[in-house]
Amino acid sequence: MIKRPLLLSAAVAALAPAAFAQDEDVIISVTRQPLPASKVGQAVAVLDQTDIDTYQSVYLADLLTHTPSLVVTRNGPPGAAASASIRGAGADHTLYLLDGIRLNDPSQVGGGANLGLIAADDAGRIEVLRGPLSTLWGSGALGGVVSITSRDSHAPLEATAAFEGYDEYGSARTAVGGKTDRFTWRLFGSSVSDDGVSTFAGGSEADAFTQTSLAARGSLAVTDSVTLRAFTTYSRSRNDYDGYPAPLYAFADTGEFGRTATRLSAVALEHRFDKGEQVLSFSESQADRHDFFSDGSEFVARGGIQSADYHILYHVSDATRLLGGVSYERDTMRIASPAPWDPNPTPLSVSVNTASVYGQLTQDVGPATLAVSARHDDSSSFGALDIVQASVSAPVGPFRLHASAGTGVKVPSLYQLYSDYGSAGLVPENGVTIDAGADYVLADGRIGVTVFTRTVRDLINFGYDGCQPAQLYGCYGNIDRSKASGVELTGAYAIGAWTIRGDYSFLDTRNESAGLTGKALPRAPEQLGSLDVDYRVTEKVSLGLGLRHVGDSFDNASNTRVLQAYDLVDLRASYNVNDRVRVYGRIENAGDARYETASFYGQPGRRIWLGVSARVF
């Protein structure tokens, strides 16, 4: 691999100044029980509401780059297909949750979520757990979990609005809500428009992206111990992209485009009792995609998830806690490919049912906390599956030591199982991750180091061996294996009006598949890191500088196509006009770097954003 020294000093983690308090003040909820960071045995980065406002990012993908060991791959500009890799894991090995509900689309090839269509919207908190947590969340949480928590209302009646953009791109967001003794509600809406970048890196045609999102949520305290919660979100997007037109079938500017509509709804009944709480919830999601290609053909897909969950947390004593639950999930996919030569093809409609039971024991042993969890899944597609995980966190003087070992899984998608290229005999991908680290906690910050190793077997990939006679163009199989290890340095420090935070990761990834042994995993750079420096000039004015380095990587498994390293510089400023109005701005990619996260796909150059946010009442 082409190597280049990292020019950023190692240091500093993605935590806002307000998060420099002791670990007991930073509560982690992705563990399915609220725990102080000092009691969590895995590496978790937290972006709170202050972080989200400070970084000013419109898209979730941009916010996530402020966390360690995470690299984003975009097949083009905003709105194009995108994915995040944590510690070099596969694109579908990160599980995304919105208020505890999966954001998966079963009609996607890998059955995961398209990060390119997830805006920051009304996010008030983001937790990024590095490593597996499949025992508690199931499939997809093999490499990591991204948990998004929406903002809530805190006043009897409140409303906010924000507008930002410049030239050919912009966004608008508005929210209104209220809170009484018994009832809390919030309505949110947003609109994003962007038409400044060509999907094809060598193209001259700008590919537009538009998205409109609506959300509503409410919480009713039926009694002092019973609460009913419900929320629904709806998003509609259109994105232009480029393709491979005849007769050359080479990547070029085209008029191809796609439309996507997603809907997510959930209702939960919570009951609190002396020793804990129990929650019964129902959720349903649906994603409708319609792609239009240059040759007149189309691709129509609908993916849906229906689930029912029961979850309980029980405090046996102050030192012993039990959590567990049962769930039932039904995933559905309906796909068709109309074309001028076949305008009414018979759609493929399939579904998979999975029943699960999971549990975890959390035990305080002196100042240390030990957690052991297990899960059993029974699926109509792959049968029974059992996985386990354990972690420990222990304070030793000014240090917090933590370690974990566990199994993560990613079940085969409906497309990989039942499409024309599918193989019904696929088994789940499974990986074992072991990590350990230490955080040195200071009065004004922290420094941390974590080392990890991960082995994944039965990886699903596309190939030509072992296919059915009718699968002339290939099929999916459990044909790959991989290993990864690395070191993560994190830290944060506040001195006077200055706040410094960032991270650095060194990753060593190896393919262990037949014919590829010793090759680096695709799109897994050896080095990556970020550095954020914020300076509060006055009580009203703050300035910020963001640096990000992504090292060289390969774009293919054979390691013949190199993605060159790149460095991005962001500048930001904010001015509080009064306690209601804030004006802000930023320059993204201030150095106008030309780079690719996937070969031949364009990325935005220098961009200026100007914005204003207001608390209307």
Side-chain angles (χ1 to χ4, degrees), residues 4 6-9 12 14 61-74 83-87 501-505 507 523 525 527-533 545-551 564-572 589-591 593 595 597:
R4 174 172 157 182
L6 182 65
L7 301 179
L8 300 178
S9 59
V12 280
D62 295 325
L63 284 172
L64 295 181
T65 60
H66 295 278
T67 64
S69 292
L70 186 148
V71 63
V72 172
T73 297
R74 290 188 179 92
S83 61
S85 172
I86 298 177
R87 294 176 169 176
R501 50 199 184 268
D503 58 83
Y504 164 69
S505 300
L507 305 176
R523 301 177 182 177
Q527 299 187 72
L528 65 153
S530 65
L531 177 67
D532 281 287
V533 180
L545 166 69
L547 304 175
R548 178 157 179 83
H549 172 84
V550 178
Q564 298 290 343
Y566 59 90
D567 299 287
L568 301 179
V569 179
D570 296 332
L571 304 174
R572 52 185 179 264
N589 190 6
Y595 65 101
T597 63

Side-chain angles (χ1 to χ4, degrees), residues 493-511:
Y493 193 71
I495 179 170
W498 295 86
T499 302
I500 306 171
R501 50 199 184 268
D503 58 83
Y504 164 69
S505 300
F506 177 83
L507 305 176
D508 180 27
T509 63
R510 289 291 176 264
N511 203 325

